[in-house]
């Protein structure tokens, strides 16, 4: 899987070298953290600790024009791809065996994690053919399941950036209009669901009126986070035609605290799902756009759906290129959700809607029956790439549902 | 129309008192401007001049904690409704007859106008029943024209804030996927359209997981701008189902440079369109939510559609309340588009799609035939409320189309 037979790089920080650790020296994901009495600032996860990048910069170990003292990574990211590479190389040097064992770290267990970026705008896509078909059958029947343009473009919609929250934030069950016997009813959501996704963080601006190619788009992506696009299916069913999902998706979108740099995923690049027709030239890729990533979710700790990111049909780079089709300007900090990642079988699905066939086939979770998410349930996402002797993990992306406020 | 028989207030600035002037002392709309060699800062339009609010504050005439020196109104707006009222009262005092004739102003003709706010997020609604029905017939036929939930909720979708530009900005005709005989075709948009809208500027934050009532929402609105939601109808028709319009709406959204304060429109409050069914309690209003505003558009200077904002079915306050239905947090600087404002007859429509019946009935503009917008065409929007002896105008909201970039 990893294209080298060299002995894997190790860190002087022992925990980073342990089997199954999400954060070896090959990963170096970026986040924002604080400890008691200190302000949020940027850090990098390593083993069971966080390298304090603001302190590193204050000490002259790295240079990012002070950006790491900010409570979000945007100012660093905006410095561009060459700077990303320079800092990553320098951090590898510092954290690898033989590096700087005096580098300032804090224990992950003592840190509070914050949103890693100020999310400028959030766009959610729909790029798993399995998911699009499965959900299409449930919403519109099998004959209209896959929209006719689905195999020609990455369908997406603008989401709500203000409702993006970091792992661990409680999510309140929404109230909303749902379809009743004789008209709409005001009700707590009865079909609360998750969506297992990967989010891409846009790392460069594009100009209004200009398009970016898939190759340029790939270069614009800073990294990836886990993303749970909580969905109120009953609210969605009533509201979504013709202008798309709105309040059904605005109750909250949880992302992981750690942005895994695209650079850390490069050894795992691979092709996605087979194409059923050629794409228009503006969507064609000149290299594989996916990553060999195991991705899955848990409910109250019990394993639920699990699949691989390589089941997807459109890559983040293709989604980003399509996002500029009409000249839409993109900005540093934009978040692009992959769409629910579902494999072909029920145990590989990334949403309860699919797994339970819209509630018709309950699943058993820790001995309890579930069709959709109940109050108090906690959903956790995970993803990792397996190298030889190390794992590139994303850390947790969890949220617990609190009762609706009538 | 105006609920007082007093002699209208006049300004010491003669141009502000002229018949048909958009910016009398009763209006005092906020914007951001610069002059050659100076930085963008906040101002208020009065007659044919702009009151320099940053200079006023520097001189001690007003106090907004330095917010008016910013290149956007967000910092001022965030200071809240009491501050809005205080500043408006003080500006009225300064600019009315007998006020401070030494107050620092610049000629509008010498100023460059900028986006008045940093648009945090942009949501577009669909609140004219005439427009929703007319467009629904064209996209889905008369039997499915009005979606079943339309009379129960203000349907909206998240738009793209990064593509919101100020009046006068050229708009490039987009390229995109459109439906061809045997599959999608890559093409310049052939059905480029405008949408005549009013935009509401949200002036206060709401908290995640909390809803706001219609009455609270009304208090949260700082003011209104003209808004043209440029639309690529052929791209829209191919992309929009099931997740809504995306790139067809991301080529640009033009807003006027002047935010007319809600306070200036209070004398013109009125009811909207008649309801066909009662609304759920969370959408019910305790006072009229619309304004008696003439609103219309021109093409290359020729008068086109013209109607009144009071044809609308859902007010901005109702839209804002609905936007928090699921607990979605709102932020200062959020922009809510009313949806296309169309009266019942073709000459009252706010989009060419409706006016020309999707291109079947061309219209004549300055002797030339048009179905949709051609390269070089300029679309202008206008709106005003007529008081006795004064007019509350919105200033221009124009954009000219430049050719597509293949």
């Amino acid at each position: 899987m990893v294209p080298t037979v060299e002995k894997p790089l190790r860190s002087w920080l022992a925990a980073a070298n342990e089997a199954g650790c999400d954060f070896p020296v090959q990963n170096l994901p970026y986040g924002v953290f604080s400890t008691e009495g200190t302000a949020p600032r940027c850090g990098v996860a390593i083993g069971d600790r966080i390298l304090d990048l603001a302190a590193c910069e204050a000490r002259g170990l790295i240079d990012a024009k002070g950006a790491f003292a900010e409570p979000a990574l945007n100012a660093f990211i905006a410095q561009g791809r060459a700077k990303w590479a320079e800092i990553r190389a320098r951090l590898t040097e510092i954290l690898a065996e033989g590096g700087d064992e005096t580098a300032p770290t804090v224990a992950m267990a003592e840190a509070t994690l914050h949103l890693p970026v100020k999310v400028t705008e959030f766009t959610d896509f729909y790029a798993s053919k399995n998911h699009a078909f499965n959900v299409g059958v449930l919403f519109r029947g099998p004959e209209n399941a896959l929209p006719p343009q689905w195999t020609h473009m990455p369908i997406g919609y603008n989401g709500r950036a203000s409702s993006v929250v970091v792992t661990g934030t409680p999510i309140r069950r929404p109230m909303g209009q749902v379809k009743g016997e004789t008209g709409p009813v005001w009700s707590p959501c009865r079909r609360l669901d998750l969506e297992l996704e990967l989010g891409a963080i846009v790392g460069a601006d594009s100009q209004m009126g200009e398009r970016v190619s898939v190759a340029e788009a790939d270069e614009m992506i800073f990294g990836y986070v886990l993303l749970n696009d909580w969905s109120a299916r009953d609210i969605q069913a009533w509201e979504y035609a013709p202008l798309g999902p709105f309040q059904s998706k605005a109750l909250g979108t949880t992302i992981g605290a750690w942005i895994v740099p695209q650079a850390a995923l490069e050894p795992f690049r691979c092709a996605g799902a087979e194409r059923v027709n050629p794409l228009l030239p503006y969507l064609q890729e000149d290299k594989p756009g996916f990553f060999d990533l195991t991705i899955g979710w848990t409910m109250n700790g019990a394993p639920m759906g699990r699949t691989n990111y390589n089941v997807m049909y459109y890559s983040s780079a293709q989604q980003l290129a399509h996002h500029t089709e009409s000249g839409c300007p993109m900005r540093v900090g934009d978040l692009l959700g992959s769409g629910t990642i579902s494999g072909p079988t029920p145990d590989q699905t990334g949403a309860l809607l699919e797994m339970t066939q819209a509630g018709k086939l309950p699943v058993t979770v820790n001995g309890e029956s579930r069709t959709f998410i109940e109050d108090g349930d906690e959903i956790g996402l995970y993803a990792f790439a397996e190298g030889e002797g190390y794992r590139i993990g994303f850390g947790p992306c969890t949220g617990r549902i609190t009762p609706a406020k009538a």
Side-chain angles (χ1 to χ4, degrees), chain A residues 141-165:
Chain A
E143 64 288 352
N144 297 310
L146 210 60
Q149 81 278 36
W150 199 94
T151 62
H152 298 285
M153 67 163 68
I155 298 178
Y157 66 99
N158 299 297
R160 180 77 194 175
S162 67
S163 62
V164 177
V165 295

Side-chain angles (χ1 to χ4, degrees), chain A residues 147-392:
Chain A
Q149 81 278 36
W150 199 94
T151 62
H152 298 285
M153 67 163 68
I155 298 178
Y157 66 99
N158 299 297
R160 180 77 194 175
S162 67
S163 62
V164 177
V165 295
V166 75
T167 177
T169 307
I171 300 290
R172 193 192 294 282
R173 177 182 303 273
M175 298 291 298
Q177 285 199 32
V178 300
K179 197 176 178 178
E181 294 290 313
T182 57
V185 175
W186 179 246
S187 169
C189 169
R190 295 186 188 115
R191 297 187 153 213
L192 188 57
D193 203 355
L194 78 145
E195 291 195 341
L196 171 68
E197 303 194 24
L198 209 59
I201 307 288
V202 175
D205 291 349
S206 73
Q207 299 308 307
M208 183 154 168
E210 304 290 332
R211 294 187 302 275
V212 302
S213 68
V214 175
E216 288 165 343
D218 194 71
E219 298 267 301
M220 283 170 67
I221 295 172
F222 175 70
Y224 294 85
V225 289
L226 283 168
L227 187 152
N228 180 355
D229 190 41
W230 303 95
S231 299
R233 302 299 183 192
D234 43 0
I235 297 173
Q236 185 178 355
W238 175 239
E239 77 173 358
Y240 88 101
L243 299 188
F246 182 49
Q247 289 308 289
S248 55
K249 300 283 193 165
L251 59 146
T253 299
T254 303
I255 65 173
W258 298 108
I259 307 176
V260 174
Q262 196 188 43
L265 295 171
E266 286 300 341
F268 308 96
R269 253 190 205 271
C270 66
E274 204 183 337
R275 303 230 169 272
V276 302
N277 49 245
L279 295 174
L280 285 170
Y282 84 103
L283 285 174
Q284 289 173 14
E285 291 169 300
D286 61 354
K287 64 176 175 183
F290 299 86
F291 305 103
D292 179 5
L293 276 180
T294 299
I295 187 161
W297 60 285
T298 61
M299 183 184 257
N300 304 327
M304 302 288 289
R306 179 176 174 133
T307 183
N308 191 297
Y309 177 59
N310 68 15
V311 301
M312 300 298 275
Y313 200 86
Y314 295 106
S315 69
S316 298
Q318 288 174 311
Q319 292 170 338
L320 177 50
H322 180 67
H323 212 315
T324 68
E325 178 198 37
S326 70
C328 177
M330 305 302 294
R331 297 183 292 193
V332 170
D334 284 340
L335 172 66
L336 309 184
S338 61
T340 307
I341 304 175
S342 288
T345 61
D347 60 320
Q348 296 171 358
T349 52
L352 280 162
L353 181 71
E354 290 172 81
M355 185 173 278
T356 69
Q357 286 283 304
K360 287 196 288 287
L361 303 172
V363 288
T364 302
V365 181
N366 295 337
E368 293 181 22
S369 175
R370 286 289 184 281
T371 49
F372 289 96
I373 304 173
E374 300 194 357
D375 289 346
D377 282 346
E378 184 177 71
I379 302 295
L381 313 188
Y382 61 89
F384 56 85
E386 284 282 11
E388 278 191 21
Y390 69 95
R391 154 191 282 202
I392 303 290

